[in-house]
Amino acid sequence: MTTSTTTAPAATGPDARTVRRFQTRIAVCAGGGEVCDGWVLGVVGAALPLARDDLSLGTTATGLIGASSLLGIFLGGLAFGRLTDRVGRQRMYLVDLLVFVAGSLLQLTVGSGTELFLVRLVMGMAVGADYAIAGALVAEFAPPARRGSLLGSLIAYWYVGYVLATLTGMAMAAGLEGPYVWRWILATSAIPSVVVLLARLGTPESPRWLAARGRHREADAVCRRWLGCTLAELGDDTRPALGRPSLFSAAYRGRALFTSTFWLCQVTPFFAISTFAPQVLSSLGTTGGATEVVLNTFLLLGCLCGVLLMDRVGRRPLLVVPFFVATAALLVLGVTPGGPGLLTAVCFAAFALSHAAGSTLQAVYPSEVFPTEIRATGIGFAAACSRVGGAVGTFLVPTALTSWGVGAVMLCGAAVSLFGAAVSLRAAPETKGLALARTGAPGGPPP
């Protein structure tokens, strides 16, 4: 197969400013999907207590519904990450938003806990797919100098969606009366989903994916039209691979283990606490409403800090340090349950800031450390594994709060965060400023 079409000089194309705007547009469209992801997961916190009363749900059923989206992410990440590497980023980019819209509207019709569980399970699968699609697409269009901030911004968008959903849900729960208000709260995710679906129309396929599938002429055309360069100028990882790499080969299984483990250790305490934030905050002796708003504000601020620091301090310190801060904050909360309200607020703020700053790496490391042929598969696998811990934590929190008390729940979260710090110290590489051809190569950058 000849690749001569990739070596010719680039025809007149967009200037540097236009290319930069296009790359930002790709990140914003991808980030819009993350807004929907955060909305789907965040809105359930306000809706679930109301659904529990209307549907007469027990503790087990409540926990299962709270964890249903996380279980869906596990299934969706495994299945659709691999599918995205097979059929392409752009096609899946639109299909998952259609699922968001349909699932959001179906929640208006559910009449039992089982139906609600199944609908949110399917929506969770779309969320898992979007993690893999968005990260791969942004990484494959972004230049090395901006790749970290553009990828990290995906998590910032996630928190925007999560915070907006939480605030919307709280406002609707407080302002609306009557049965089945929770249906309308859950269905609000249709609004951002429609907007993002329309925004994504017309975005091109990744030239790196096209080249990896042997479609070099199409890839070169995308490069010339949108990036103002030839395919050959895009990077070494656009060359034909010598055999398709495997996620669990000797070259990549360590990276699969690292990305899935640090992600799991971040989301397990977060979802366990945030999904049942009103109950947790009440158990800690703090008024839930105002404190929850402040907590979510700190989450967003922490994420923005992570994006700003990403390409300055590097990936590795941005991952390790927040793990230790989160560990300390949760440890204090565990040792002093029911302590002074100011101490509780400070610890929750420290946890939120540090967790959110470090969580920006969830979109960065998995997108960087795998080659194009298995990039979406690697991202999907890491997302899937992370949600095992999130689902288990979410499912167990109602029972744990009743049986063990809030102090034990906080101490379990501290232990998980400490384990994440240890894994990151040992395995986290530094990929700042490196080309994808280097970060995804079999040797890769060392820890």
Side-chain angles (χ1 to χ4, degrees), residues 267-281:
V267 304
T268 300
F270 173 73
F271 278 114
I273 292 169
S274 63
T275 301
F276 298 92
Q279 295 95 311
V280 172
L281 292 169

Side-chain angles (χ1 to χ4, degrees), residues 132-196:
I133 300 161
L137 197 61
V138 173
E140 289 164 11
F141 274 111
R146 299 181 66 205
R147 191 177 61 237
S149 59
L150 289 178
L151 283 169
S153 69
L154 297 181
I155 305 300
Y157 282 110
W158 189 96
Y159 278 107
V160 168
Y162 192 90
V163 170
L164 287 176
T166 300
L167 296 178
T168 299
M170 290 172 59
M172 292 179 69
L176 298 179
E177 297 181 357
Y180 299 107
V181 169
W182 54 270
R183 287 178 173 174
W184 294 99
I185 295 175
L186 293 176
T188 57
S189 57
I191 299 172
S193 299
V194 170
V195 173
V196 175

Side-chain angles (χ1 to χ4, degrees), residues 26-27 30 89 132-144 147-148 150-151 154 206 208 234 237 363-364 366-370 372 375 379 435-436 439:
I26 289 291
R89 283 60 163 131
I133 300 161
L137 197 61
V138 173
E140 289 164 11
F141 274 111
R147 191 177 61 237
L150 289 178
L151 283 169
L154 297 181
S206 161
R208 296 180 187 273
L234 192 60
D237 61 335
V364 178
S367 302
E368 291 184 328
V369 300
F370 299 107
T372 300
R375 181 164 290 121
I379 299 170
L436 282 181
T439 62

Side-chain angles (χ1 to χ4, degrees), residues 344-418:
T344 299
V346 168
C347 288
F348 258 89
F351 170 77
L353 281 170
S354 60
H355 164 81
S359 70
T360 55
L361 275 303
Q362 295 169 9
V364 178
Y365 268 134
S367 302
E368 291 184 328
V369 300
F370 299 107
T372 300
E373 294 86 352
I374 58 169
R375 181 164 290 121
T377 301
I379 299 170
F381 177 80
C385 291
S386 74
R387 264 45 185 190
V388 172
V392 170
T394 302
F395 176 70
L396 291 179
V397 162
T399 301
L401 285 173
T402 302
S403 302
W404 304 340
V406 70
V409 172
M410 297 297 106
L411 290 176
C412 288
V416 173
S417 294
L418 183 60

